[in-house]
Amino acid sequence: MTPWHRNEYVLKGLFFGLWIFFALQVPTSPAEAWRDIAWVLGWVGTGLAVGLALGTARLMRRAVKPWDNWKAFPLLVLLESPVFIYSGIMIGLTAGVLSGRDFAQPWAQPLAELFGLSWAEIKHNPPVGDWLGFCAVGGALLGLGLYRMRQIEDGMWRLAAGAGVAALLVYLASTYLLDIKVSANDPADPDKVVSFFASPEARQNLGIYLLLGLPFFYLLTFSGEAEESEVEIMTICAGLGVALHLLGFATGLPGVSGAAPFLLPVTLYGVYAIRILPGLRVFKHVLRGFSYMHHGQLGLALKFFRRALELNPNSELASEGMRQLHNGITLATLERYPDLIADLDFKLCLDRATALLMTPPTPAGREEAARFLELVEQKKPVYLARVEYLRAIALIHAKQYDSAAETLARLLSPETPGYHPAVRGPLLFDAWSLAIDGPKGLSDRLGWPELNKPGRRMEALGAVERKLKAESGNDKAKEYRTVLYAELQEGEFVAAVATAGPPTDFSYEYVEQLGYQLADDNDPERRERGLGYLRMAGRGLPDRAPGIFKKLSEVAEKYGDATSARGCLEQIKISARAFGPRNLAKEQREIYLNALRRLASTAEAEGDAIKGQADAAEAAGDRAGRDTKDAEARPFYESAVADLQLYRDDGGGAVLEAYRKIAELYGKMRGAPNHTLNAVLNVEAALAYSSLDADLLRKKDSYYYSVTVEQLTAARERVGKWFDVAYCVKKAMSVLNRAEADADLLDWATHLTRLAKVIEPASNRVRLVEARCLLRVGNRDGGLQLLEDVRESEKGSGDEEEAWYNATRLLGQLYLEELGRPDLALKAYSDYKEYHKSGADTLFNIARCYEALGDSTNAAKFYNAVTAFEEHPKYWEAKDALTRLKG
């Protein structure tokens, strides 16, 4: 906004302040009030009339004739004469205000007498005090406030703020205006004051005067250079609300009398600001644009048309004005007004050149178009592609076919630099149509052979597809489509994908149908062409790609091409994973899952073949050869595992069997890092589905035995929650409980114990089993130390508690029977006696301890307790012990 725009708002506020000042001077008597109102209106009307006359004269001097358009001319005067309108209204109002003051009597009195009025009748007798200064300053501040509100950029915020301020102004005026006090002129009580607007006549006069000022305020708004906004209608509606309240609007209507003066302005504000104001703003800019255009001020016209299109890009009137302006521009005009070039819409300049060239032009027309094209090429090179196209048309009209062909070939080549894709793309269909079906002199030089050059056919197809999207019934586009797809080579498509990714303007459905038609053809050349079409379709139809590549795989298998068949299965996997297996239709997802199973089966078979060679090398004693073959087989097994994991995770059935097979594959990967540990984890996962499966239990025994302590230690954090410590303890205990266990079984039990200790190093049950293993292999000191460590640790609960008591019992046995420490044995057995599983055996051993310590009394006591269990195996030994102690 410019400084003049700010001044306009200040003047509008000042107008409001002066008008309110004079309204407060209006007497209560209707006759006197109307006389004062007529006096001020006369001054304002005279000022406005002078302003309109000056504005009219100014326009007529610019050769604008009223009789050319009587309806539009008054609007044009208002819009083109803001200085005169503002000056006339403000000078007239100021004269009306000042004419009633004492210093104006020398000139105001003679003038009033001309109209039959006396000085006393026009003189100000302010009942509420001389508030001229307050009203003037307050009005100017109001104008500045409106100016600041106008600078709020967000239209919705401005609309809401305007509604709030208008409501506040109405409330304040209606609440406090009527409380203005004046002297009652009562001789009996000189200090008595009364409300000046207590009488209905005073309120009505004030309301009428406020209403009469609103049209002038709107006239200032309408004619101003500043773009009208919500703040002006806000001010008008606030004034309207106060005036209606003073006039007692709708007082006779039940239920709405108090709200009506507020509801009507609010409704007017909403309707005007939302429905009328946007279109009115555009109309004022368009009207100014046409005015300046007709008077040759094209730069200003462009500015107003462009602003109108900014406010409403769909305005037909603004678009038409912009078109008329550009269509009327000649290069001679541009030479006269060189600054105009910077404001031109070069797209419309090209439209002007197009209009000159689309019909056979005269030589002068061609020359004019060529100069426009040269101007656009120099000033706006982004439109170079369209310039070249129109230049080719101009050369065709001139029958310069060699130059036209050269220009058009340059445009058709995707390798030509300098063309903007967004400009070149929409031209390609027309350019190819011109090259193929244009004048014979041109088509002989270009024509269909031009499509055989690199990149041309794919671009032409894109142009055709875009044309058919815009005009589905275009027969020429349909004809081109048939020919172009029929001659399309897969290599052209692949090259386009490599350059810019999968093309978007390409009918993948069309090539899919062509592919299915030719895929089963007996002619190898036609069949391969059909397979190429299907491969193209598979790239662009991700939701149907599994079915497309399945067809390709079936054809490859039919003709014995196993490598291609497997490649198609891989493409099914890749495309489905890219699209999202869960997003596929059921049929397509089943194709994807079956492809994964086939890929896994094929990879496993290839790995087994190589593993067989590794086994043969091992049988022959060739360890290096075995390791080499194992390494060669590993990638195949890993591939099979990856495919089965996808099958399992993406919704394949038979999850148990998937885990089983994955475990088997890991078991086959000799030498692979963590292969046995991964086998263990997958067996555990499978057992979660079927804990009694005999095959899985056998695999579990085998894989747990194959896991090394080092492997488990390295992966402890990752697999700790999956590793079955209870299984290791249970299996080791079952071996240790066998009296005839050989060295291999003991080695197995020891290995399981060490694995369990990696996961639970402080576990009582694990250390108990480890101690028993050490004792079985003859390491008495090591076993005894572990048992004592368990005894000194916390009992815990459950299995841990039971292991603590068993370790204590075993220690007691060792102390008593091997180490000759009945005192320590007595403490161990005494602690074990507290365990709920202890019984007569424990009592018997405690008695033995006392006997070995020479305490016959306590020994007899515990032996006697054992004899209470007549069925117990120790009964007779206890009897014999009692006899021995008595002797």
Side-chain angles (χ1 to χ4, degrees):
M1 299 183 73
T2 66
W4 168 247
H5 294 161
R6 180 198 59 210
N7 295 339
E8 283 188 357
Y9 277 99
V10 172
L11 289 173
K12 283 185 280 193
L14 184 59
F15 170 85
F16 228 92
L18 293 177
W19 196 272
I20 290 174
F21 166 77
F22 201 81
L24 295 175
Q25 319 305 312
V26 174
T28 57
S29 168
E32 294 177 351
W34 280 109
R35 184 181 59 231
D36 282 1
I37 289 172
W39 177 253
V40 174
L41 287 179
W43 279 106
V44 176
T46 301
L48 175 60
V50 173
L52 290 173
L54 293 174
T56 300
R58 179 170 172 266
L59 284 179
M60 293 183 70
R61 264 200 320 271
R62 290 162 49 188
V64 180
K65 300 178 176 56
W67 46 88
D68 288 342
N69 191 332
W70 287 107
K71 295 180 179 179
F73 186 78
L75 293 175
L76 194 59
V77 171
L78 290 174
L79 294 175
E80 290 301 300
S81 309
V83 174
F84 295 141
I85 302 299
Y86 270 76
S87 299
I89 291 177
M90 292 305 300
I91 291 174
L93 178 59
T94 302
V97 169
L98 297 180
S99 65
R101 301 182 70 83
D102 290 335
F103 68 83
Q105 183 176 1
W107 60 268
Q109 180 175 347
L111 188 62
E113 291 173 352
L114 292 176
F115 294 95
L117 300 173
S118 67
W119 168 247
E121 290 173 328
I122 66 169
K123 181 182 178 182
H124 293 333
N125 295 299
V128 295
D130 191 359
W131 287 3
L132 177 60
F134 296 112
C135 289
V137 173
L141 292 176
L142 172 65
L144 286 173
L146 297 178
Y147 175 71
R148 296 301 299 172
M149 284 187 63
R150 174 64 183 84
Q151 291 179 311
I152 299 175
E153 294 185 1
D154 190 295
M156 292 304 297
W157 276 107
R158 203 164 56 235
L159 179 68
V165 172
L168 179 64
L169 290 176
V170 172
Y171 171 76
L172 293 175
S174 60
T175 301
Y176 297 105
L177 187 64
L178 301 184
D179 286 340
I180 296 176
K181 305 297 184 180
V182 296
S183 174
N185 295 320
D186 187 351
D189 186 3
D191 297 329
K192 182 179 180 181
V193 294
V194 296
S195 174
F196 178 69
F197 295 105
S199 68
E201 293 81 3
R203 290 197 298 272
Q204 187 175 36
N205 290 341
L206 179 60
I208 291 173
Y209 198 79
L210 289 176
L211 281 178
L212 291 174
L214 297 180
F216 292 103
F217 184 86
Y218 184 75
L219 197 61
L220 293 174
T221 298
F222 185 84
S223 64
E225 283 189 9
E227 195 173 86
E228 184 179 351
S229 68
E230 294 81 2
V231 298
E232 288 87 359
I233 188 64
M234 169 205 79
T235 308
I236 292 173
C237 288
L240 177 63
V242 174
L244 292 177
H245 177 71
L246 293 172
L247 291 172
F249 178 73
T251 52
L253 297 178
V256 298
S257 59
F262 302 97
L263 292 177
L264 182 60
V266 169
T267 303
L268 175 62
Y269 176 76
V271 171
Y272 186 90
I274 297 173
R275 305 289 297 178
I276 299 174
L277 180 58
L280 182 61
R281 275 198 296 242
V282 173
F283 173 74
K284 288 164 70 174
H285 286 301
V286 171
L287 193 60
R288 284 189 169 119
F290 275 111
S291 171
Y292 285 117
M293 181 176 69
H294 291 153
H295 293 91
Q297 299 184 44
L298 302 184
L300 288 173
L302 270 174
K303 182 186 77 170
F304 285 113
F305 284 137
R306 186 170 289 122
R307 178 56 182 160
L309 288 171
E310 287 177 5
L311 294 171
N312 181 9
N314 299 318
S315 171
E316 295 183 3
L317 195 59
S319 299
E320 177 60 27
M322 190 70 88
R323 280 194 296 271
Q324 286 187 23
L325 188 150
H326 282 77
N327 287 340
I329 290 177
T330 64
L331 291 177
T333 305
L334 296 178
E335 290 173 358
R336 287 200 308 272
Y337 305 104
D339 294 341
L340 186 61
I341 294 176
D343 296 321
L344 284 179
D345 185 330
F346 290 96
K347 186 174 178 295
L348 291 176
C349 288
L350 289 173
D351 290 342
R352 172 66 172 155
T354 302
L356 290 169
L357 294 173
M358 283 301 103
T359 56
T362 63
R366 283 201 309 274
E367 182 179 350
E368 183 80 2
R371 293 172 68 186
F372 268 111
L373 295 178
E374 183 179 354
L375 172 69
V376 175
E377 183 178 7
Q378 292 176 357
K379 300 299 182 180
K380 201 73 170 179
V382 71
Y383 289 118
L384 179 60
R386 191 171 172 192
V387 169
E388 293 275 63
Y389 175 71
L390 293 174
R391 190 169 281 151
I393 292 177
L395 292 169
I396 291 171
H397 284 309
K399 302 190 183 303
Q400 299 177 22
Y401 296 119
D402 286 336
S403 298
E406 180 182 349
T407 302
L408 199 58
R410 193 165 55 244
L411 176 62
L412 295 174
S413 173
E415 299 175 357
T416 303
Y419 294 141
H420 194 287
V423 179
R424 179 173 175 267
L427 292 170
L428 279 178
F429 180 82
D430 292 332
W432 277 111
S433 179
L434 197 61
I436 294 170
D437 291 327
K440 190 173 185 305
L442 182 67
S443 60
D444 287 346
R445 291 167 172 80
L446 296 174
W448 291 104
E450 191 73 14
L451 291 162
N452 296 327
K453 296 181 180 180
R456 307 296 174 89
R457 200 180 322 276
M458 285 299 298
E459 281 207 329
L461 275 171
V464 167
E465 293 297 339
R466 289 192 294 272
K467 189 69 173 179
L468 286 173
K469 284 180 184 177
E471 303 175 24
S472 58
N474 190 294
D475 292 334
K476 182 174 286 189
K478 292 178 180 178
E479 176 189 345
Y480 289 167
R481 178 196 236 190
T482 302
V483 176
L484 290 169
Y485 280 114
E487 296 181 352
L488 179 64
Q489 300 296 319
E490 186 179 8
E492 295 176 298
F493 178 85
V494 172
V497 171
T499 302
T504 54
D505 296 316
F506 188 86
S507 181
Y508 294 98
E509 293 83 357
Y510 189 85
V511 294
E512 179 188 23
Q513 295 304 316
L514 290 176
Y516 281 126
Q517 291 172 14
L518 299 174
D520 294 313
D521 201 289
N522 292 326
D523 183 344
E525 185 177 344
R526 287 171 56 82
R527 182 172 64 250
E528 181 55 35
R529 192 168 189 79
L531 297 179
Y533 283 137
L534 288 178
R535 286 190 287 268
M536 295 181 218
R539 287 174 177 261
L541 299 173
D543 58 325
R544 301 207 293 268
I548 293 172
F549 286 112
K550 178 188 176 186
K551 177 65 177 178
L552 289 166
S553 177
E554 290 172 349
V555 174
E557 288 179 350
K558 179 179 178 181
Y559 291 96
D561 189 352
T563 302
S564 295
R566 181 170 183 175
C568 292
L569 294 177
E570 290 286 352
Q571 284 297 323
I572 292 175
K573 178 174 71 174
I574 293 170
S575 61
R577 294 291 300 165
F579 186 70
R582 304 284 181 177
N583 298 327
L584 291 168
K586 181 180 179 181
E587 178 184 355
Q588 298 293 327
R589 188 166 60 249
E590 286 299 322
I591 293 172
Y592 160 65
L593 295 173
N594 288 334
L596 291 175
R597 294 175 63 182
R598 290 186 61 190
L599 285 169
S601 177
T602 302
E604 181 184 13
E606 292 174 339
D608 287 346
I610 300 174
K611 188 175 183 298
Q613 298 173 19
D615 294 340
E618 184 177 24
D622 182 6
R623 187 176 184 84
R626 185 204 70 177
D627 292 342
T628 300
K629 288 301 178 183
D630 280 340
E632 292 177 5
R634 197 178 306 146
F636 294 100
Y637 291 137
E638 290 172 347
S639 176
V641 166
D643 289 333
L644 284 174
Q645 287 173 336
L646 289 176
Y647 173 82
R648 177 197 65 203
D649 297 340
D650 288 339
V655 177
L656 168 62
E657 296 308 316
Y659 277 118
R660 186 198 306 275
K661 177 56 69 175
I662 292 172
E664 290 178 3
L665 290 166
Y666 276 122
K668 294 177 180 181
M669 296 184 201
R670 286 188 302 214
N674 295 325
H675 68 287
T676 50
L677 193 55
N678 287 324
V680 166
L681 296 180
N682 280 276
V683 165
E684 292 294 350
L687 285 169
Y689 290 88
S690 179
S691 60
L692 301 178
D693 188 294
D695 175 63
L696 291 174
L697 292 174
R698 285 193 298 272
K699 284 182 169 60
K700 183 170 185 175
D701 290 341
S702 173
Y703 297 150
Y704 268 77
Y705 181 74
S706 300
V707 174
T708 67
V709 173
E710 292 76 18
Q711 289 174 338
L712 186 59
T713 301
R716 180 176 180 271
E717 296 298 327
R718 181 170 62 88
V719 304
K721 64 180 181 179
W722 291 99
F723 199 82
D724 194 347
V725 174
Y727 161 82
C728 294
V729 172
K730 182 178 178 182
K731 278 293 180 180
M733 291 288 285
S734 68
V735 170
L736 294 171
N737 290 336
R738 295 183 186 180
E740 72 283 1
D742 58 20
D744 290 339
L745 286 176
L746 290 175
D747 181 65
W748 181 32
T750 301
H751 179 68
L752 291 175
T753 303
R754 289 173 178 170
L755 294 178
K757 191 173 182 180
V758 171
I759 304 301
E760 297 182 6
S763 169
N764 290 338
R765 59 177 178 166
V766 173
R767 289 186 291 174
L768 172 61
V769 176
E770 184 183 10
R772 290 189 61 186
C773 288
L774 292 173
L775 293 171
R776 285 293 293 270
V777 298
N779 187 351
R780 314 303 285 177
D781 293 339
L784 182 65
Q785 182 63 51
L786 275 174
L787 290 173
E788 289 176 342
D789 290 343
V790 172
R791 179 167 164 73
E792 291 175 1
S793 64
E794 295 290 335
K795 292 180 183 178
S797 60
D799 291 343
E800 291 296 288
E801 181 184 33
E802 182 175 3
W804 189 89
Y805 278 111
N806 285 333
T808 300
R809 178 183 57 78
L810 189 54
L811 269 175
Q813 182 182 348
L814 290 172
Y815 289 145
L816 181 62
E817 297 178 358
E818 295 187 17
L819 301 177
R821 294 295 305 271
D823 55 333
L824 296 178
L826 178 60
K827 291 180 181 179
Y829 279 126
S830 297
D831 287 342
Y832 184 72
K833 186 171 69 71
E834 303 300 323
Y835 187 44
H836 69 277
K837 289 187 178 182
S838 68
D841 284 345
T842 305
L843 298 176
F844 183 81
N845 287 325
I846 291 174
R848 290 175 63 199
C849 292
Y850 277 117
E851 185 179 3
L853 290 170
D855 187 347
S856 299
T857 303
N858 280 317
K861 175 184 174 182
F862 279 94
Y863 279 135
N864 191 53
V866 174
T867 61
F869 302 94
E870 296 181 357
E871 301 298 327
H872 196 274
K874 297 295 184 181
Y875 174 80
W876 293 108
E877 291 187 44
K879 283 284 190 181
D880 292 341
L882 288 170
T883 302
R884 182 173 64 249
L885 290 174
K886 289 179 181 179

